[in-house]
Amino acid sequence: MVGPKRHFLPLVLISLAAFIFYTFNHFSLSPAIAESNHRSTFPHPIPTLIHPNFNFVINVLAFNRLASLSRCLRSLAAADYLGDRVHLHLHIDHFASSDNASTVDPKLREARQILEFVDAFDWKFGEKVVHYRTGNVGLQAQWLEAWWPTSDHEFAFVVEDDLELSSLYYEFVKTVILNFYYNASNYSPSIFGVSLQRARFVPGKHGNKIQLDDKTTLFLYQLVGTWGQILFPKPWKEFRLWYDENKAKGNKPFLEGMVSTGWYKKLGERIWTPWFIKFIQSRGYFNIYTNLLHERALSVSHRDAGVNYGKTAGPDSTLVEKRYMDFNILEMQPLSSLKWFDFCFREVHPGKVVTNLEELGWLLHYRQKRDSVFLVNLFGVSDAIARNLLCHFERLNIRNYILMGPPSDSLFDLARRGHPVINVDQFLSSVGLYKLTSEGSNSETIKGILAKIYVIKKCIENKYSTWVMDGNMLLTSDLFSESENPNDDFFVANNFELFYAKSSSSSEKIWVDGFVSQIVAEVESLSGKDTEAHYRLSFVYIVKKLLEQKGARIGKVDESSLATKVGSGNASESFRGDKKLVYWSTEMELDSIRKWFKELNLWSIDNDLSCTAVHDVPVKLAIDYAMAYTMDEVDIVFVGANGVVERGGMINMIGTCQIAIVAKS
């Protein structure tokens, strides 16, 4: 039997147009949206533009709380599923074995009551499947074994039995899936799911308080929400395989600076969230959350007595229902306009790939004006060294930095994780210099030099001082004091590629187009020379020589007191705590660098190349920042463990504190 003709041409044209659009945006940001574009630039397959009939599976985790389970299932059955088939899987953990006969019979009766209830429970929206275990496995196994996706189009909603759901929840979830999973313009491989609970917790010790404006209804946050979490298939499979590997090798989900590490040390394998938190931190993934105001949420935990609570604590939020609606819950903002927050609830900006001077200007516009910009050259630098450097930046609270390097998966992955990067190949093409760098054994060195001179010029124009460093350096403390001499506009380290350009009227007069052209000409003259002239093909060598010709004020420093070169001798003897920087030969092997750094306690990444700790703003540094403000313009609020300690003035410095700088009305 011959069916009707299918018209494939419109579908092909739509798919082709979408592919071209995605490919064009893969490397670049439109200047008009550079400050807010969070779209991933890391190559990753987008599922499809055509909405399939995706599968939605509700996994209810139950144990011995019949009243809680009854309330939960009633709320699930009251939801509007829009005519879709939705499957219900009930996972009932077995009671723990006991030699005490007096406790066995009550547990048996309790288990039978739960089984009788779920057997009789009517689920009219799809399949109902009951999994009753033969032994007690606990909360971790309940979560981890609840679901293995059957395809990339199956989504799981994991529900603990003391939750209650809004009748609106599925309408919202389906809208989110269609907008952020199946819509190519809103898709990001960094998103692992959707949480329906109210965000109320910051796991990073001493992290920021969750504060969102009334207009923010959707945002992204790294923390998994265990009180009503929708899981996307690919990230969950990735997590399970990651978990299996780390568990088999005896690794622990330790992440210093996170309260989850304390949970794990106390409860061990009874809980699963420290494992998932560690996985999310290593991958740089995020979760979609709602901000519905007035402590409302689509999923509410009644916090009944159980594994997490010794006694019932009551509902954590107010359930959203239609009669309380004062906004359209189904109105979705584009992904490019949403805010992203890390575990300490600090805002991050994924997807910043700079390809030209205009985009660099947009990026600098949203940097912190009180800080210098660190420009880091990643040519020839391994992923491990780059990630270790970034961990030390976080420890030192260096937030103003830009990474530059050739287009690569690792560079785009850094951008996906929220690190601002410059695609040097496209950047140099935009200023007409790519031909000069396209050939020869020194092409990477030349690219690095040329990109640096244009970035410095843009930074000076935008009133930023700039530290320029190569990837074979590691900061161990702040370099601010090295640039304090008011008479110097530039600072040069002769023996390694460290350079400082101050934001000043005199440096701005020197670093103009003509000076840039001089540097370009010098680089071009050296690029064809023999290997004996190679040492002169150095950013510091060339720039220092031309600055001296201009009569620029160049500061000098005792390099031996500033830095230590690692790679020879005894590490602990050659490195002292007062050294602000270590550096090494670019010829040094990664294994040797790692060995030295571990001996010096400077290796801060694990086997996943992720930081072993999450750092908060140091107290002293926070106060230094605060005092930089004009006191008649702002109030300073210090916050300690017991809340607000003092507003303005002095503070008791015992313990850890946070700082808030509030504009005076």
Side-chain angles (χ1 to χ4, degrees), residues 232-364:
F232 289 178
K234 287 184 179 180
W236 182 255
K237 280 186 176 180
E238 187 183 352
F239 163 64
R240 281 298 315 275
L241 295 174
W242 175 92
Y243 169 85
D244 290 346
E245 180 181 354
N246 280 272
K247 194 75 179 294
K249 292 180 178 179
N251 297 331
K252 301 295 183 182
F254 294 155
L255 185 55
E256 296 307 316
M258 295 282 284
V259 296
S260 53
T261 298
W263 299 344
Y264 183 81
K265 289 179 178 179
K266 180 179 180 181
L267 299 173
E269 300 306 321
R270 292 174 60 189
I271 54 176
W272 73 283
T273 46
W275 285 102
F276 197 76
I277 285 172
K278 176 63 177 173
F279 166 75
I280 292 307
Q281 191 261 355
S282 72
R283 294 299 189 267
Y285 288 169
F286 291 83
N287 202 12
I288 296 174
Y289 273 85
T290 60
N291 176 40
L292 305 183
L293 306 182
H294 311 301
E295 298 188 349
R296 294 176 295 182
L298 290 159
S299 176
V300 170
S301 172
H302 286 266
R303 297 182 289 182
D304 294 335
V307 174
N308 295 320
Y309 293 91
K311 60 181 181 179
T312 298
D316 74 297
S317 305
T318 301
L319 205 62
V320 169
E321 295 295 352
K322 287 184 178 178
R323 62 182 178 275
Y324 298 127
M325 296 297 288
D326 51 7
F327 59 93
N328 182 4
I329 198 171
L330 303 181
E331 183 178 344
M332 297 287 117
Q333 300 163 276
L335 189 63
S336 61
S337 68
L338 300 185
K339 293 182 178 180
W340 302 57
F341 298 93
D342 66 11
F343 281 127
C344 292
F345 217 74
R346 295 173 298 207
E347 189 172 359
V348 295
H349 303 277
K352 293 291 186 296
V353 180
V354 172
T355 63
N356 57 54
L357 287 169
E358 188 175 9
E359 291 173 359
L360 178 60
W362 276 96
L363 181 65
L364 291 171

Side-chain angles (χ1 to χ4, degrees), residues 53 135 148 183 207 254 256 267 286 315 354 364 367 372 421-422 451 482 488 513 524 557 607 613 624 637 642:
N53 293 318
W148 181 263
N183 182 346
F254 294 155
E256 296 307 316
L267 299 173
F286 291 83
V354 172
L364 291 171
R367 300 290 91 187
S372 298
V421 305
I422 296 176
E482 303 302 329
D488 296 330
D513 290 339
E524 190 170 13
V557 71
N607 293 333
D624 289 344
V637 180
N642 298 319

Side-chain angles (χ1 to χ4, degrees), residues 172 193-197 224-230 287-290:
F172 171 78
V194 187
S195 177
L196 301 186
Q197 74 177 75
V224 62
T226 57
W227 296 342
Q229 178 69 48
I230 288 84
N287 202 12
I288 296 174
Y289 273 85
T290 60

